[in-house]
Amino acid sequence: DDTGRDVIPVVMDVSMADYTLKVGGVGARFPIHDSAGRDVTLQIVGLLENSVLQGNVLVSEANFVKLFPDVAGYRYFLIENAKQRREGEAPAEPQALAENGSAGASPSQDARSLHEISQILESTLADEGFDATDAREQLAQFLAVQNTYLATFQSLGGLGLLLGTIGLAVVQLRSVLERRAELALMRAEGFAPSRLVRMVVEENAILLVGGLIIGCAAAGIALIPQWMPHGASVPWATLGLLLTAIAAVGLVAGWLSTRSAVRAPILATLRGD
């Protein structure tokens, strides 16, 4: 690095790099202290996505011993299924830790074998504080925390969307009320009420659809930097449902307000104006 010290390459989960340490992506450097309290520079050379290693920084054993020579033994184990694979055989789907590792074992048998082996490991190594956890359960816990944050922000966004939709209906109602005299004059000149309702609804529909298109385009541009690197899936069904609901509320609000305005007495409306 700039001070002449060796840079230690590390690998970590992308969520930890982005949200916990906030150091950036591959190539980013950040300092730590070794066991002697000296500054050490680490550099990210690889990122893992949705892994069970969240919260951990992976470093080679040689570098770890050099940085923390007073740490002895191992405190984290990854236990793989003991099923032997023939050379050249395509990798099978990941399975739970099983006693015999049978490829034809049902999920319930895998879960039962995993539970039994976990109990054996925990009881035998109880003095060492050993705790065995299924990798799938561990990953589900990590995703549960992430999903909780997403659900919270989604609820806040839904509340804002609800307020915006109500505001849209109020604005349309006020617009029609301000045009009552204009609509009454058109009715006095022979325009049918149904034609006036259709005309106002079409005007509101053009403005509403145009606003939705502009809003979606702006939101898409803002999300591209976050969406492309992580390859997140877009909830098209939910997004389409929300946009349809907004458009429906806007059209119904415009239709109801216009319908009530054209039903008002013509003479009273013109005199009031």
Side-chain angles (χ1 to χ4, degrees):
D1 59 7
D2 297 336
T3 61
R5 294 190 299 265
D6 292 336
V7 177
I8 307 300
V10 298
V11 176
M12 67 180 64
D13 191 271
V14 63
S15 299
M16 183 178 179
D18 289 342
Y19 304 112
T20 305
L21 298 179
K22 298 180 180 179
V23 294
V26 175
R29 296 182 178 183
F30 60 98
I32 65 169
H33 298 289
D34 61 7
S35 59
R38 295 169 297 190
D39 292 334
V40 178
T41 301
L42 304 183
Q43 181 174 358
I44 301 176
V45 297
L47 292 173
L48 306 173
E49 188 173 4
N50 294 330
S51 70
V52 295
L53 299 174
Q54 295 183 30
N56 296 280
V57 177
L58 306 183
V59 63
S60 66
E61 185 173 8
N63 286 327
F64 182 83
V65 173
K66 182 173 64 175
L67 297 177
F68 303 97
D70 54 339
V71 178
Y74 300 92
R75 292 180 293 180
Y76 198 96
F77 301 86
L78 297 177
I79 305 174
E80 188 181 11
N81 193 330
K83 178 171 66 73
Q84 298 294 329
R85 297 174 181 171
R86 296 189 301 271
E87 184 177 357
E89 181 181 1
E93 292 293 330
Q95 297 182 3
L97 179 64
E99 185 174 5
N100 53 11
S102 174
S106 64
S108 59
Q109 292 174 340
D110 286 340
R112 184 168 58 253
S113 300
L114 174 63
H115 180 68
E116 294 174 354
I117 295 179
S118 299
Q119 287 184 333
I120 295 174
L121 291 174
E122 291 178 353
S123 60
T124 305
L125 302 174
D127 295 338
E128 306 296 336
F130 194 92
D131 183 24
T133 305
D134 186 1
R136 294 170 297 185
E137 296 178 359
Q138 185 71 29
L139 184 59
Q141 293 176 4
F142 288 141
L143 294 179
V145 175
Q146 176 179 332
N147 292 336
T148 300
Y149 280 105
L150 293 177
T152 301
F153 287 110
Q154 188 175 7
S155 300
L156 295 177
L159 179 60
L161 180 63
L162 177 62
L163 295 177
T165 304
I166 296 176
L168 174 65
V170 172
V171 168
Q172 290 192 354
L173 178 60
R174 180 178 178 181
S175 175
V176 173
L177 291 178
E178 291 177 350
R179 298 173 60 184
R180 283 183 303 176
E182 175 187 345
L183 297 176
L185 181 60
M186 296 179 69
R187 288 173 57 198
E189 292 177 353
F191 283 85
S194 59
R195 183 177 179 183
L196 295 178
V197 172
R198 184 172 65 253
M199 180 184 67
V200 176
V201 170
E202 289 177 354
E203 293 176 358
N204 292 334
I206 293 175
L207 295 175
L208 184 60
V209 173
L212 291 177
I213 293 175
I214 295 175
C216 291
I221 294 174
L223 290 176
I224 285 177
Q226 297 294 329
W227 173 43
M228 295 299 293
H230 304 295
S233 59
V234 180
W236 296 110
T238 303
L239 183 60
L241 182 61
L242 289 176
L243 294 178
T244 303
I246 296 174
V249 170
L251 294 177
V252 170
W255 176 73
L256 291 177
S257 57
T258 307
R259 191 165 176 263
S260 61
V262 298
R263 285 186 173 183
I266 298 177
L267 187 59
T269 304
L270 293 175
R271 286 178 177 176
D273 186 65

